[in-house]
Amino acid sequence: MSTPHQPHSSSSLEEWLVYLEQLHGQAIELGLDRIRHVATEMKLLKPAPFVFTVGGTNGKGTTCRTLEVLLIAAGYRVGVYSSPHFIRYTERVRINGEELPEQDHVMSLAHLNQGRHDTSLTFFEFSTLSALQLFKQADLDVVILEVGLGGRLDATNIVDADVAVITSIALDHTDWLGPDRESIGREKAGIFRHAKPAIVGEPDMPASISKVAQDKGAILLARDKQWSYQVSPQSWQFEDIQGKLTALPLPNIPVANAATALAALRVSGLAINESTLRETIATATLPGRFQIIQHSPMVILDVAHNPHAAHYLVGKIEQLAPKGKVRAVIGMLHDKDIDGTLAELSKVVGQWYCASLDGPRGATAQRLQQVIPDAALFQNVDQAWCAAREQASGEDIILVCGSFHTVAAVMALGEKEQQLGQ
C-alpha cells in the first residue's frame, strides 16, 4: 500500500482525517503496546488530576454526559472524550461542555504525528491520543473517557482511571469481545484498577466482572448491592453508603444511567453540594438519544442498535401512547444482532423504511427485510427518510434508529435544510 500524503499544521482537518484513515492497515487492531509507547514518550498518560473511564454496552454517552454537567456545575474544569461523532469530528472532544475549533485538532494531530515517529496507529488510537493531548494543554481538573470498544484492549485503557464505570452488559461486538455476557463482562472490566472504585450499573452482573475486580483488587460497587435507585411517576431516589437522596427530578436520559453517574461521582471524593446536584441532574441531554427534533409528526432520533437499547426505546415510545402510526427509518450494521433488535422494535413499529448502509460493515435493506417482510426498501437513509416524511400524518411518529450512521445521515440532512433556509 502506498504511503498516504502527509498533511501538516496548515492542512485542513478534513485532510488530516483522510490521512489518519489510510495510515494503518486495519480499522481496529486490539492491543495497547503501540499506543502506550507513543503516550509514554509524549507524556500523555495523566491528562488530568482525576480521570473517570466509562465502559459498557449501552448508556456510556449519557452516563459521561451526566458526570460532565454535574462536575461543570460544581465548578470543575472538565474534558470529555467520546465516539463516534455524528456530523463533525470535533464532537469527539468537549472541554467545559464546548467543542474546540478545528484548528486546535489540526495542531494536536500534527504534533502527535511528529511525536509518534514510525509507530503505526489506527484512526481511533490517533484520535484518543489527540484528545489526551488537548486535555493536557487545557489544564483540566477532571477528564471523562468513554471507552470505544470493550475495555481491556481499548485505546482509552492506557490511562489509569481513578473511578472506572461499567454501565450495562449486553451482546454486542461479539466478533471482538466474545460470544456471551461472561466474556463481554471480562473484557469490559479490563478498565478496573487496583484499590480504585469500580462502579457497575448492570443489574444482572456477570460473575466475570466480580472475578476481575477481585483479581485486580478493585473496589467493586455494584447496583442493588452497594448502591441502588427507585423510580416513581414524578421523581426518583438514590441510595448508597453515604445515605439517601429522595425526590430527585426525573432526567431526560435513562434513569439507570443518571444513577450510575451519581454512584461514580459520590464515590470519587470530588465535592458537589446537594442543591447544585438537584438543580443539574435532570439537565443532561445528548444528541441521538431519544432526541425529539420535531412535533407533528413527532420525529425521534435514537442510536439504539441492539436488543437491550431497543427494549428501552420501545418502553419510551409506549409511554407516549401514539395516536397515529410509528414509522421506523432504520439502517443497521451487519455485525449487530439484527434479528433481535428488529423483533424488539416490532412491538411498536407499524411501518418500516429499511435503508442500506454504506461501508464494509453496512447491512443491506434486503438483509433487514428478511426479518420484516413487509418493509419498504431504500438504497440509502436519505431516500428512506424522505419517504417516511411524505407518508406521515401529523399524529404519526417517525423513529430514526438502528445505528449511529442512520441517525447521523438524518442529522446531516436537517443541518443542510437549515442552511438552505427551508
Side-chain angles (χ1 to χ4, degrees):
M1 193 169 126
S2 62
T3 311
H5 162 70
Q6 188 157 317
H8 39 79
S9 56
S10 58
S11 301
S12 69
L13 181 56
E14 190 53 45
E15 287 173 82
W16 270 102
L17 299 182
V18 169
Y19 171 71
L20 297 190
E21 279 170 350
Q22 297 169 344
L23 191 61
H24 194 78
Q26 53 208 101
I28 300 172
E29 184 178 330
L30 298 181
L32 299 178
D33 295 345
R34 288 171 298 103
I35 186 175
R36 188 180 279 124
H37 169 72
V38 178
T40 306
E41 292 283 298
M42 299 187 75
K43 299 183 171 52
L44 299 178
L45 290 173
K46 189 80 177 146
F50 199 97
V51 176
F52 292 90
T53 300
V54 180
T57 307
N58 297 308
K60 296 188 291 282
T62 47
T63 303
C64 289
R65 183 71 175 143
T66 305
L67 279 169
E68 177 187 19
V69 298
L70 287 169
L71 287 163
I72 291 172
Y76 292 97
R77 282 184 58 76
V78 182
V80 180
Y81 174 56
S82 66
S83 64
H85 59 273
F86 282 111
I87 298 174
R88 296 174 303 281
Y89 175 84
T90 54
E91 295 166 34
R92 290 175 180 242
V93 173
R94 292 193 297 275
I95 289 180
N96 272 1
E98 301 290 329
E99 289 177 33
L100 300 174
E102 287 193 358
Q103 188 54 32
D104 291 19
H105 288 273
V106 167
M107 298 305 287
S108 175
L109 294 170
H111 180 68
L112 268 177
N113 202 36
Q114 276 186 316
R116 74 180 173 86
H117 300 300
D118 56 358
T119 305
S120 180
L121 297 167
T122 66
F123 183 95
F124 185 73
E125 288 166 344
F126 226 114
S127 69
T128 302
L129 288 172
S130 179
L132 298 179
Q133 167 85 24
L134 291 163
F135 293 150
K136 192 177 134 183
Q137 289 168 3
D139 192 23
L140 302 172
D141 302 309
V142 183
V143 157
I144 302 164
L145 300 173
E146 181 187 322
V147 173
L149 173 68
R152 182 175 65 93
L153 297 175
D154 187 78
T156 55
N157 201 32
I158 57 170
V159 176
D160 291 328
D162 296 284
V163 174
V165 180
I166 294 177
T167 55
S168 64
I169 299 289
L171 295 181
D172 207 354
H173 298 295
T174 48
D175 303 3
W176 295 99
L177 305 180
D180 52 42
R181 295 177 80 254
E182 289 296 332
S183 42
I184 290 173
R186 196 173 303 114
E187 288 297 321
K188 304 269 185 204
I191 62 174
F192 294 174
R193 292 296 189 271
H194 177 73
K196 301 286 190 186
I199 308 293
V200 179
E202 168 58 59
D204 180 19
M205 186 177 74
S208 57
I209 291 182
S210 49
K211 173 83 169 72
V212 173
Q214 207 176 347
D215 292 349
K216 285 179 172 270
I219 305 158
L220 186 64
L221 300 160
R223 174 172 156 186
D224 299 333
K225 292 193 174 73
Q226 286 77 24
W227 60 276
S228 64
Y229 71 95
Q230 277 83 37
V231 184
S232 60
Q234 305 304 317
S235 66
W236 63 291
Q237 65 176 36
F238 177 90
E239 189 170 3
D240 62 7
I241 195 163
Q242 296 176 36
K244 192 181 275 192
L245 290 168
T246 57
L248 290 164
L250 288 168
N252 294 310
I253 61 163
V255 180
N257 302 340
T260 303
L262 196 47
L265 181 61
R266 279 164 66 95
V267 81
S268 69
L270 298 166
I272 176 168
N273 66 51
E274 192 180 319
S275 63
T276 304
L277 189 148
R278 286 182 176 281
E279 284 163 23
T280 312
I281 189 114
T283 64
T285 58
L286 206 57
R289 279 70 165 192
F290 206 76
Q291 182 187 4
I292 297 171
I293 59 165
Q294 182 188 310
H295 296 268
S296 186
M298 184 178 279
V299 176
I300 301 169
L301 309 182
D302 197 292
V303 295
H305 55 257
N306 53 43
H308 178 267
H311 178 76
Y312 174 79
L313 177 55
V314 165
K316 291 286 284 185
I317 289 171
E318 284 173 342
Q319 282 173 7
L320 294 172
K323 291 191 180 75
K325 190 179 271 195
V326 177
R327 300 173 181 273
V329 174
I330 188 161
M332 293 189 72
L333 298 176
H334 67 67
D335 52 10
K336 301 296 175 189
D337 179 356
I338 291 173
D339 297 28
T341 305
L342 295 179
E344 201 59 62
L345 292 170
S346 292
K347 294 171 185 173
V348 290
V349 174
Q351 180 67 51
W352 295 92
Y353 302 79
C354 295
S356 297
L357 291 184
D358 286 340
R361 292 173 64 205
T364 62
Q366 286 77 5
R367 167 68 184 91
L368 307 188
Q369 194 189 32
Q370 288 171 8
V371 191
I372 34 178
D374 56 351
L377 304 188
F378 300 89
Q379 287 176 342
N380 54 45
V381 175
D382 296 17
Q383 290 176 7
W385 165 242
C386 289
R389 281 173 82 184
E390 274 171 24
Q391 293 170 19
S393 74
E395 291 192 330
D396 289 352
I397 292 176
I398 303 176
L399 172 64
V400 180
C401 64
S403 171
F404 269 86
H405 301 278
T406 314
V407 171
V410 171
M411 281 183 177
L413 284 170
E415 220 169 70
K416 210 180 282 179
E417 280 180 15
Q418 274 180 331
Q419 285 164 2
L420 293 169
Q422 285 178 354

